[in-house]
Amino acid sequence: MTTLGVNIDHIANVRQARKTVEPDPVQFAFLAELGGADSITVHLREDRRHIQDRDVFLLKETIKTKLNLEMAATEEMLEIAQKLLPDYVTLVPEKREEVTTEGGLDVKSNMKYLKNFVENLKDSNIEVSAFIDPIVDQINYSKEIGFDFIELHTGKYAGLTGYDQYKELQRIKESTHLANDLGLVVNAGHGLNYNNVRKIASINNMNELNIGHSIVARALAIGLEKSVREMKSLITTN
Ligand code: PXP
């Protein structure tokens, strides 16, 4: 059965907009678990634009499911991961100027560096995933490097419609089967929402979907009315 990893970076985005203490992503991880999240995903970025070091260490202590740390393959992040010991690490490409992770990691061009990096993480008993585009070469090289998982980038699928989306779905399906045949566990994510998720979730042997933006957007949509009512009641009752 396909499981759900909830990415809570956007909760931290709202907090960091004011550099205050709320909303606290650690508390929201608890709520995500209450709703059935099978794992909690956070991306600790080099620029710390949303998730902070304090968040990842508190999450590690408090969540009851699994912690998936998304990070760039840098020495700074390696040191943090080795201290934190998350259940698994997902290596992603990272550019300071991007709004969100734009493309998959180019494992093919960085093979030697990544092999050593992945080995270091595995020596600390951390399972390692590569966030890659659904491309045959990238899958083969992920296996060669020693990744345990891959996470297939579904951003392109999410941005297409009609026959183009169907073709991209086929590419994701074929990539999943190829990776499975090589012994890789397959996750997927990026841009998945309440309309487009089912076709990805029903791919045979799809392990976990990592979803953030649409879940947080939905939380605002279904929660705002209640929070306004509570404020209104404080203002209007003596
Ligand atoms: N997977 C990875 C590797 C990501 O970088 C992100 C975005 O932070 C997601 C999944 C979740 O994407 P979205 O927020 O579009 O659901």
Side-chain angles (χ1 to χ4, degrees), residues 7 9-10 70 92 100-101 131 151 189-192 210-213:
N7 179 314
D9 293 349
H10 280 325
E70 273 181 27
V92 297
T100 180
T101 314
F131 183 52
E151 180 177 333
H190 216 284
L192 296 177
N210 284 312
I211 307 180
H213 186 90

